[in-house]
Amino acid sequence: MTALIEVRDVTVRYLSTGRTALGPVSFTVSSGDLMLVSGPSGCGKSTLLRLVNGLIPHAYRAEVEGEVIVGGRPVTGRTIRDLSSVVGTMLQDPRKQIVGTTVTAELAFGPENLGLPREEIRRRITEVAERLGITHLLDRATAGLSGGELQLVAFAGVLVMRPRVVVVDEPLANLDPDAGLRLMREVRRFADEGGAAVVVEHRVEEILEFEPTRVLYLEDGTARYQGPVDGFLRMAPVGHVKLPFATLLARAGDLPPAPALSRAADAGAPPRLEYRQVSLGYGSRTVLSDVDLALAPRERVAVLGSNGAGKSTLLRAAVLLTAATSGEVLVDGSPVAERSTASLATTFGYVFQNPGQALFCATVGQELAFGPRNLGFSPEEIAEESDRALRATLLDGEKDIMDRPPRTLSFGQQRRLTVALALAMRPRTLILDEPTAGQDLHTTTEFVGHALAADSVESVYFITHDVDLALTYADRVIVVDRGRVIADASPAELARDDDVWSRAGLRTTSLVRAVRDHLHGGGSIPHPFDLARRLSVPSCSNPSPQEGTTSP
C-alpha cells in the first residue's frame, strides 16, 4: 500500500510557550488505513494533526525536528494550498474553519478556489450533502446552526475537496449518535476507497466499531503504544481512556476507585428553574414548544437529544439568552425577565459549548478576574476564587497559567477554563453545554467531581451527547427531540426505555446494555468501574499486550 503520511522521529516545540508538545514520534499512514490517535487532554494529539496538515509552522510558530512526508513529498517548503490538495482537515472547533454565510456557500468555497466549473461544484455539493444527511441544511445560515450541525458541515467541506488523506479532530465531540454514525461511516468509506484517515478521539469505544487499522496512544507528547486494537485494549490506562464495558469487566482488577458522588436530598424543594407551558425560539422560528419542567435547586440534571433538537435553547432561557415566545420561565419563583444581570450571574454559572464565546482577555488571570470584579469582589477575594476555580478545573498545574494567553491552551483546557470563569463568580447552579467534549476520561472524572464539590455549587444542569456521562452523573435525565421534551426520568428508568431510546436516536452503549441486563428498578446507576467490579469474577492477571509496541 502507498504511504500517504510518514512522520520520522519528529519533535515539536511551540515558540509561544517554549514547551515541547510532541515527540519524538514516528509513524506511517498508508492508503486504506484508519488510524485512531488517543491520549490524555494536552498530550499532543492536536499538535500531531497540525504537523501533518501544515498548520505547523504556517499558522502555529514552532520549532520542528525530524521529517514529515505527505503524499510522497516533504512538508518543508510546501504551501498550505499545496498541502490542502492532499490533506483535508476537520478541526476540533468547527467554527474556526467555517467562512461561508450559508451552508451552500461554505461547501462551494474550497472548490471555487480550485477553479472548478460551476456544474462540477454543484454536483460535488449535492453528492456530499446526501451522503452526510445534511441536504436540509443547504439553504441555512451557518450562524444559526448548532455545534453538531456545524461539525457535519465542516466535514462536508473537507470531502468536497476530494483530498487523499482526511484528519479529524474529536469528530464525536458535538455530534448526536446518529450524526456521529453518519460521519464515521464516511470516514471509514473514505479509507476503504483508497484514501487514509487519522482520527483523534477520546471516546474509543464508539470508534472501535469502524475497525481502525492501528492505534497510536500518546502521553506527554510521546508514543506509549502503537499497534493493533487488541493490544491497545489490554494496555490502555483504564482510568484515562473510555473503553468498552467488556474490557472493564476483563480488567476489573486494574480499575481505580470510582469517584464518590453525593446524591440529591431536597425532594419537594421549590424549583430553581421552572418552565410553565413555555415556547422558545429565534425570530419567527420556534425551536421548543409546550415545555413544562421544574428543576430543583439541589439536583444534577442531564439533557440529551439530537443536534438541533433544542437542548441549548432550553437552558439558555435561564439566563435570558433566549426569550420565551409564550409561557413563563421562573428562577427561584420569580419571572426571569425581572431578574438583574448580576442576580442571574450569581445564580447561574453559564458555560457555552464554544469556549471562544467566553474568552476575550489577554491572560487567564484577567479572564478569571473579569466577572468577579464586575460583581464587586475585592482583589483578595478575586485571587482566592481564581485559585479555587483553577484547582477545581485541574488547570492549577499548568506552568505560569495566570499569565498564559487563553488561546495558547488546548481546546479541552479552554473548555475547562470557561468552567473556571463561571465558578469564580460563586454561582449556586452550573449550566454546562457539552462540558466534557475534548476531555479524556481521567480529566472528565476529576473535573466533574471537583466542579460538583465546589463550595457554592448546589446543582448542575448539563447538556451532553455522551449517554454514559448522563447516566453516571445525573440524578435525572431529560430528553429533547424535535422541539419537545419527550422524556424526564431517572437514569435507570431511561436506560430501559426502548421507545425513547429509538425515538431520540440515542446510542445504546455497552454500559447501557449492561444496565439493561443486570440492574433492575429505578433511580441512579453505579459508576461503570463499580458496576464492572460488582459483575466481574476472579480471574488471572491480564497478560501483557503481544501486538504493537509500547514505550515505558
Side-chain angles (χ1 to χ4, degrees), residues 421-442:
L421 305 187
L423 289 174
M425 292 189 286
R426 300 176 185 161
R428 290 181 290 156
T429 296
L430 278 177
I431 297 179
L432 309 175
D433 197 342
E434 294 288 354
T436 61
Q439 315 294 335
D440 64 88
L441 179 63
H442 173 72

Side-chain angles (χ1 to χ4, degrees), residues 98 104 138 216 241 305 340 352 383 387 483 547:
I98 300 292
T104 295
L138 288 176
L216 173 63
V241 179
S340 68
F352 292 96
D387 182 62
E547 304 106 331

Side-chain angles (χ1 to χ4, degrees), residues 202 238-242 439-446 529:
H202 290 298
V238 287
H240 290 256
V241 179
K242 187 179 178 184
Q439 315 294 335
D440 64 88
L441 179 63
H442 173 72
T443 302
T444 293
T445 302
E446 293 292 317
F529 293 170

Side-chain angles (χ1 to χ4, degrees), residues 15 34 62 179 230 310 321 362 431 459 496:
L15 300 183
L34 193 167
D230 289 349
L321 292 175
I431 297 179
S459 51
R496 286 190 291 274

Side-chain angles (χ1 to χ4, degrees), residues 129-142:
E130 288 176 351
R131 284 168 59 169
L132 286 174
I134 60 169
T135 302
H136 65 292
L137 299 178
L138 288 176
D139 295 327
R140 290 272 301 277
T142 53

Side-chain angles (χ1 to χ4, degrees), residues 98-106 137 139-146 150 153:
I98 300 292
V99 296
T101 55
T102 68
V103 173
T104 295
E106 171 63 27
L137 299 178
D139 295 327
R140 290 272 301 277
T142 53
L145 300 180
S146 71
L150 277 175
V153 170

Side-chain angles (χ1 to χ4, degrees), residues 211-527:
E211 301 178 349
T213 48
R214 291 206 330 284
V215 179
L216 173 63
Y217 182 76
L218 299 173
E219 280 184 3
D220 299 322
T222 302
R224 299 299 185 192
Y225 175 83
Q226 190 172 170
V229 170
D230 289 349
F232 173 68
L233 293 180
R234 289 198 294 271
M235 67 71 60
V238 287
H240 290 256
V241 179
K242 187 179 178 184
L243 300 171
F245 191 75
T247 301
L248 299 187
L249 279 173
R251 299 181 59 188
D254 299 335
L255 297 176
L261 298 175
S262 59
R263 293 292 173 182
D266 65 341
R272 170 62 39 80
L273 178 60
E274 187 174 6
Y275 301 80
R276 295 180 179 174
Q277 280 296 297
V278 170
S279 292
L280 299 164
Y282 305 94
S284 61
R285 186 167 68 95
T286 298
V287 176
L288 282 170
S289 301
D290 302 322
V291 179
D292 274 299
L293 288 171
L295 309 187
R298 296 185 181 276
E299 190 173 37
R300 293 198 296 274
V301 181
V303 182
L304 295 172
S306 60
N307 294 123
K311 303 182 300 298
S312 297
T313 299
L314 176 70
L315 293 184
R316 282 175 185 163
V319 289
L320 285 176
L321 292 175
T322 308
T325 55
S326 66
E328 192 172 33
V329 179
L330 305 175
V331 174
D332 289 329
S334 312
V336 65
E338 297 177 4
R339 302 290 293 268
S340 68
T341 300
S343 170
L344 288 175
T346 54
T347 301
F348 297 113
Y350 189 94
V351 179
F352 292 96
Q353 183 179 21
N354 174 22
Q357 292 178 272
L359 302 175
F360 50 83
C361 292
T363 69
V364 168
Q366 291 172 9
E367 293 280 10
L368 287 164
F370 183 83
R373 184 181 296 118
N374 280 282
L375 293 176
F377 286 29
S378 69
E380 293 76 21
E381 288 176 311
I382 291 173
E384 181 181 347
E385 293 301 328
S386 296
D387 182 62
R388 184 178 291 130
L390 289 174
R391 289 199 307 272
T393 53
L394 308 183
L395 290 170
D396 56 313
E398 287 294 312
K399 184 180 179 182
D400 301 322
I401 183 65
M402 294 293 278
D403 297 322
R404 288 272 297 275
R407 305 287 179 169
T408 66
L409 300 175
S410 72
F411 191 68
Q413 290 168 330
Q414 288 182 35
R415 281 186 183 271
R416 299 207 305 277
L417 176 58
T418 58
V419 177
L421 305 187
L423 289 174
M425 292 189 286
R426 300 176 185 161
R428 290 181 290 156
T429 296
L430 278 177
I431 297 179
L432 309 175
D433 197 342
E434 294 288 354
T436 61
Q439 315 294 335
D440 64 88
L441 179 63
H442 173 72
T443 302
T444 293
T445 302
E446 293 292 317
F447 151 60
V448 172
H450 280 79
L452 293 176
D455 291 341
S456 66
V457 175
E458 299 171 350
S459 51
V460 178
Y461 310 149
F462 63 96
I463 297 164
T464 185
H465 288 301
D466 187 339
V467 169
D468 291 354
L469 181 79
L471 296 182
T472 301
Y473 286 95
D475 306 307
R476 172 183 173 191
V477 183
I478 292 167
V479 181
V480 181
D481 183 55
R482 299 177 188 178
R484 294 186 180 274
V485 174
I486 64 167
D488 182 359
S490 72
E493 290 167 337
L494 183 70
R496 286 190 291 274
D497 194 328
D498 288 324
D499 179 56
V500 169
W501 223 255
S502 59
R503 282 174 63 193
L506 300 177
R507 180 181 177 83
T508 305
T509 64
S510 57
L511 175 63
V512 172
R513 289 191 290 271
V515 169
R516 291 176 177 178
D517 291 343
H518 301 288
L519 296 182
H520 306 285
S524 60
I525 289 173
H527 190 280

